[in-house]
Amino acid sequence: MTALATSDAASPCDTGADQHVAAAPRADCIADSAGGLTFDVTDPGGEGAAYLLLRRREATSSEDYVRLPLSPAADGRLRAALPSSVELPEGRWNAYAEVAGGTPRRLAPGVNDLRSLVDRAPSGARGHIAVRIPYATKQGNLSVRSWLRAPHAEVGEIRIDGTSVTVRGRVYGTELTGAAYTEATRRAEPDRIERYEPTADGVEFSFTLHCDVLAESGPGPWDLWLRPAGESGPRVRLARLLDDVPDKKTIFTYPATRTGTAAYGPLEAGPYYTNDNDLALRIRETGAVED
């Protein structure tokens, strides 16, 4: 991992104790289309050098900390930059302000300018895509959701027609070959796989899966993958990452279709996004409570 600076794994913020939001310094965030973030922070108080500290949830090593210097900016604020060239491993990163080695203070969210992330289409020339989306936690604190995928299969339009689901997407960091295929893997039985032949046009692809066939295995989720070079190449998780929505599970919802099965009776099935914004297919009993 490349970092501007990292702290020791035994950082004081390991205690998990958040500062009261009303007294916390506040940070406005601006995202750029390349994957970088700029933080404008209100004065955290104290004397000496100031830093913006990012700590990955459940941190276990120095790789889970990134410290960015805060420099004077307009309106008495301090500014820190997280350029796209600095890798930020996948996960949720809590944001703190730290002054002269004192106890880090949790940052409160200000205004997030994420306009450059809407309809973002990176070139893929680096062989990977980097996504960082700042957001407010349920407790009213500032965190950053990060993804780093190499290669990446970005989900676009999803169409539902009866028990058929057609998915369109675009691949980054690799090429689609004549051996390419997609697959649905039953999460509870990873060896149970259904393959689908995609239609490819350059870096874009589409495929159709059939819920009634998958439902014959009973209730349970299926994860969706792309094999751009067939069995000999990478296995790429289908996901929707290139926008400004950090948690899509409750935002992007799709209707479920009902299908009958010989062994399990009537079930309902439909696509959904996981907590990591990966695309999956949910199969459950009709009327089951949302998981």
Side-chain angles (χ1 to χ4, degrees):
M1 170 182 169
T2 302
L4 297 183
T6 56
S7 73
D8 296 333
S11 167
C13 62
D14 260 349
T15 61
D18 289 341
Q19 301 292 326
H20 191 274
V21 174
R26 189 171 299 273
D28 295 337
C29 299
I30 301 175
D32 64 49
S33 59
L37 286 177
T38 300
F39 302 85
D40 283 346
V41 182
T42 57
D43 186 358
E47 300 292 334
Y51 298 89
L52 185 141
L53 178 65
L54 295 175
R55 172 188 179 273
R56 187 155 59 164
R57 303 266 177 92
E58 301 177 357
T60 58
S61 72
S62 61
E63 295 292 304
D64 297 320
Y65 296 81
V66 175
R67 184 185 283 124
L68 307 168
L70 282 164
S71 303
D75 300 325
R77 295 195 169 204
L78 300 175
R79 176 169 294 175
L82 177 67
S84 59
S85 57
V86 174
E87 292 186 1
L88 197 67
E90 284 204 24
R92 296 178 186 269
W93 295 73
N94 295 336
Y96 301 80
E98 182 181 31
V99 178
T103 301
R105 299 177 63 195
R106 200 74 161 84
L107 285 172
V111 177
N112 290 336
D113 184 351
L114 308 181
R115 289 173 293 178
S116 64
L117 301 183
V118 179
D119 296 326
R120 181 181 169 212
S123 67
R126 295 182 179 178
H128 69 267
I129 61 102
V131 178
R132 294 87 174 264
I133 305 177
Y135 69 98
T137 69
K138 293 180 180 179
Q139 293 74 33
N141 299 308
L142 176 65
S143 290
V144 175
R145 185 68 172 94
S146 175
W147 289 268
L148 188 64
R149 300 279 172 101
H152 170 57
E154 176 75 3
V155 175
E157 181 185 41
I158 297 176
R159 288 188 177 182
I160 301 173
D161 183 8
T163 59
S164 297
V165 177
T166 298
V167 179
R168 298 184 183 276
R170 181 184 180 95
V171 68
Y172 293 88
T174 190
E175 296 181 352
L176 293 166
T177 71
Y181 63 88
T182 57
E183 60 185 30
T185 303
R186 184 170 164 82
R187 195 176 299 169
E189 302 174 79
D191 292 333
R192 178 165 291 190
I193 297 172
E194 293 287 337
R195 292 187 179 183
Y196 307 93
E197 182 177 350
T199 299
D201 181 10
V203 296
E204 297 183 351
F205 64 91
S206 66
F207 69 98
T208 300
L209 56 82
H210 304 286
C211 298
D212 52 347
V213 175
L214 300 181
E216 290 297 335
S217 298
W222 292 71
D223 296 320
L224 303 179
W225 304 80
L226 172 68
R227 301 296 295 262
E231 292 184 356
S232 63
R235 189 168 184 249
V236 186
R237 192 73 167 87
L238 270 69
R240 182 163 181 160
L241 308 178
L242 299 175
D243 56 29
D244 62 342
V245 182
D247 294 292
K248 296 180 174 61
K249 189 172 184 179
T250 59
I251 303 299
F252 290 77
T253 59
Y254 301 91
T257 183
R258 293 197 175 193
T259 181
T261 64
Y264 300 96
L267 298 175
E268 61 182 27
Y272 77 103
Y273 286 104
T274 70
N275 290 329
D276 290 323
N277 290 356
D278 296 326
L279 184 64
L281 188 84
R282 175 189 290 116
I283 298 176
R284 61 189 179 185
E285 296 178 355
T286 57
V289 177
E290 182 77 18
D291 55 10

